[in-house]
Amino acid sequence: MTAEKQSALQTIEEKRDLVIEIADKVWEFAELSLQEFKSAKTYCDALEAEGFEVERGTAGIETAFTASYGHGRPYIGVLAEYDALSGLSQEAGLTERKERCVGGNGHGCGHNLLGAGTFAAALGIKAYLEKNDISGTVLFYGCPGEEGGAAKAFMARDGVWKKLDVALTWHPEDVNEVATGSSNSCIQIQYKFTGTASHAAGAPEMGRSALDAVELMNIGVQFLREHMSDKARIHYAITDAGGCSPNVVQPRASVLYMVRSNHVAEAVELQKRVDKIAEGAALMTETTYERKFIDGLADTVSNFALERVLYRNFQELGVPEYTEEENAFADTLADTYDHSAVPGVAAENDEDAREEVEKMQKAYGHAMNGFLAPLYQKDAFQAGSTDVGDVSWLTPTAQIHVAAWPNGCPGHSWQNVSCDGSEIGHKAAVHAGKVLAAAAIDILEDTSILDEARAEFEKRTKSGYVCPIPADAVPVIPD
């Protein structure tokens, strides 16, 4: 490791308390998607105090922002998220369920750590640029609404990511690894049906049931399932069943649909078929409906060239280290769920890698995965969705996972929230920042990395980006 890189990473260590302070503030705020006003302000104020130029309201989204430092190319973007989830309020550092606020929100996906970690990375990259006075710009993007809102996809529609040479990010997980592989694209639409109320016994012929329309739509989609790709998925939730009086013909009802497919272009076409089913349900019941676009996001495009750079730096920096007390806490917490999983994308897709990871788990001897999983550079697929996918269609993109939870910890769980406000979570954020900053410095020092990453990107995205966001759509929250 060069002295210049060591100096930049030392800056992150010196700013450790600030990084943790931000992570904990955002953890306490626990603001839901597109409502992260306090969290966004916390970041903007801190970034301005650290010498970044901050632009608020990126892409017309109130809780989005862009902070930049430097001059000229390459433009290196680091991506932050900071939204929480409903119903997951939890005290930090406990091994049993205890809500801070009954029915409140919590950071069950670790986005308080995610944003803080990329903040740390931005500080490290800035320190390198400042000290060495070379061409290059770091751009820190505040991306709200990952759990529902897909701000990165709206930014993609508006061309925000096209200016970047690379984008780097990370996500808290139960394993230390370089992430790779594609994910599902996803589109969410809410259908709000309106009918006519009437006495269900006295004058049923006068009523037009919006709930009937919802149920017929659901039946229509059930029949559609036979005639779509085996990688596609359609989920739904009835968000308004029209009330609790069975003797009233329901004049209103609504259903929220989520259409997924491995490729965003296929999801867009499948969504059109779901729209036709909604239209048919309205015709059959003589109701009307409103189609409310919620969000949409694309599948993820891997970039092996960038992933190799991340892995080299992850190897050199190692993984977070835990005290006896922290390991004991993680072991006890893991007993609250099934923690028998063998983690990581390599183990999921390669038998030899799986055996290697199992040996490392056994050697470490605790529920935390205190090791770096093998690098996997073949095709892989995960069924979940992330709006990082839209970024990856417009610029070379790569990300890492850093262990912030014990092995097999359920996603979106109170156990995650407990860890995200603990020292285990803090260590993950700081370490992720160091790995991302170190990789960015390699990119700044060696332009051949950019050339290789761009060539791979052009090959993988030659079919072109199909944006799932309509031109007139704005980020909204489902009713």
Side-chain angles (χ1 to χ4, degrees):
M1 185 177 291
T2 64
E4 291 80 8
K5 184 186 286 188
Q6 288 178 335
S7 176
L9 299 187
Q10 181 59 33
T11 297
I12 295 176
E13 191 60 36
E14 291 167 0
K15 299 282 185 179
R16 177 186 177 86
D17 289 347
L18 175 60
V19 173
I20 292 172
E21 178 186 348
I22 289 175
D24 285 348
K25 279 185 177 181
V26 174
W27 184 89
E28 290 177 5
F29 294 148
E31 296 168 297
L32 298 180
S33 293
L34 305 179
Q35 301 172 50
E36 316 96 324
F37 296 102
K38 293 178 183 178
S39 300
K41 184 178 186 303
T42 296
Y43 277 110
C44 290
D45 291 349
L47 287 158
E48 286 178 330
E50 291 295 326
F52 287 78
E53 292 185 9
V54 178
E55 172 195 277
R56 292 165 171 80
T58 301
I61 304 169
E62 283 189 272
T63 52
F65 61 88
T66 306
S68 62
Y69 180 87
H71 59 85
R73 306 193 86 97
Y75 293 135
I76 298 176
V78 290
L79 315 178
E81 298 166 12
Y82 33 88
D83 57 331
L85 291 154
S86 63
L88 286 179
S89 178
Q90 167 67 27
E91 294 283 357
L94 296 187
T95 56
E96 70 273 357
R97 182 76 164 109
K98 184 179 180 182
E99 293 179 280
R100 294 176 68 237
C101 175
V102 176
N105 309 325
H107 274 280
C109 208
H111 291 178
N112 66 306
L113 303 176
L114 198 166
T118 49
F119 174 76
L123 294 179
I125 301 166
K126 173 183 177 289
Y128 178 84
L129 292 170
E130 193 172 27
K131 185 172 183 178
N132 294 281
D133 193 27
I134 63 171
S135 178
T137 305
V138 56
L139 296 107
F140 179 99
Y141 290 95
C143 307
E146 195 275 338
E147 299 291 356
K152 297 185 199 69
F154 282 89
M155 294 177 181
R157 181 197 62 184
D158 294 350
V160 170
W161 312 116
K162 288 182 179 179
K163 70 181 289 184
L164 295 180
D165 291 295
V166 297
L168 302 174
T169 191
W170 79 290
H171 203 290
E173 258 294 349
D174 66 342
V175 63
N176 301 290
E177 67 175 353
V178 174
T180 194
S182 66
S183 59
N184 266 322
S185 60
C186 178
I187 301 171
Q188 287 196 91
I189 307 287
Q190 187 172 25
Y191 300 91
K192 303 167 70 175
F193 291 88
T194 300
T196 304
S198 180
H199 195 297
E205 73 280 4
M206 301 298 293
R208 299 293 182 268
S209 174
L211 183 57
D212 284 354
V214 165
E215 292 194 289
L216 285 168
M217 180 179 180
N218 293 344
I219 291 170
V221 171
Q222 299 289 18
F223 281 98
L224 174 62
R225 296 180 195 279
E226 183 184 355
H227 306 287
M228 62 189 199
S229 166
D230 58 1
K231 286 189 176 180
R233 300 286 186 272
I234 302 179
H235 325 297
Y236 70 93
I238 297 175
T239 55
D240 181 1
C244 59
S245 298
N247 63 336
V248 175
V249 175
Q250 293 88 343
R252 70 182 190 282
S254 64
V255 60
L256 178 63
Y257 264 87
M258 181 180 288
V259 172
R260 297 187 198 256
S261 182
N262 190 202
H263 300 291
V264 64
E266 293 176 2
V268 169
E269 292 305 310
L270 184 58
Q271 180 60 59
K272 292 177 182 177
R273 300 181 72 183
V274 174
D275 288 342
K276 290 178 181 178
I277 292 171
E279 183 180 356
L283 286 170
M284 285 188 285
T285 54
E286 293 188 326
T287 59
T288 60
Y289 76 98
E290 173 192 350
R291 179 185 184 274
K292 183 179 181 181
F293 181 86
I294 304 301
D295 62 30
L297 47 90
D299 49 300
T300 306
V301 180
S302 298
N303 194 286
F304 291 170
L306 292 180
E307 290 165 14
R308 287 191 289 271
V309 176
L310 285 167
Y311 191 74
R312 287 198 300 270
N313 284 282
F314 219 149
Q315 282 183 308
E316 189 164 14
L317 290 168
V319 300
E321 296 180 357
Y322 309 108
T323 64
E324 290 183 11
E325 292 77 13
E326 288 162 357
N327 274 319
F329 164 78
D331 292 344
T332 303
L333 187 66
D335 287 337
T336 65
Y337 61 87
D338 178 6
H339 57 277
S340 62
V342 181
V345 64
E348 290 175 3
N349 292 276
D350 183 272
E351 186 60 35
D352 290 339
R354 182 182 179 87
E355 291 178 3
E356 184 179 350
V357 171
E358 286 178 323
K359 289 178 182 177
M360 289 190 283
Q361 283 185 301
K362 185 176 181 180
Y364 188 70
H366 290 284
M368 291 303 297
N369 289 314
F371 53 84
L372 178 61
L375 178 66
Y376 186 76
Q377 297 234 283
K378 297 178 183 178
D379 289 340
F381 173 72
Q382 293 185 333
S385 303
T386 171
D387 57 4
V388 173
D390 296 86
V391 184
S392 71
W393 275 94
L394 295 178
T395 191
T397 302
Q399 54 188 323
I400 62 171
H401 294 153
V402 180
W405 317 311
N407 185 62
C409 200
H412 296 188
S413 66
W414 68 263
Q415 291 96 334
N416 284 4
V417 183
S418 182
C419 291
D420 294 339
S422 75
E423 183 58 18
I424 287 175
H426 299 158
K427 287 180 175 181
V430 173
H431 199 78
K434 290 179 179 179
V435 175
L436 295 178
I441 290 168
D442 284 353
I443 293 166
L444 288 165
E445 291 181 340
D446 184 357
T447 57
S448 68
I449 296 173
L450 286 174
D451 294 338
E452 185 181 5
R454 176 60 61 171
E456 181 180 349
F457 166 78
E458 296 292 349
K459 183 177 181 179
R460 289 181 181 271
T461 61
K462 62 183 178 181
S463 62
Y465 172 53
V466 176
C467 182
I469 309 292
D472 59 348
V474 296
V476 294
I477 302 166
D479 296 331

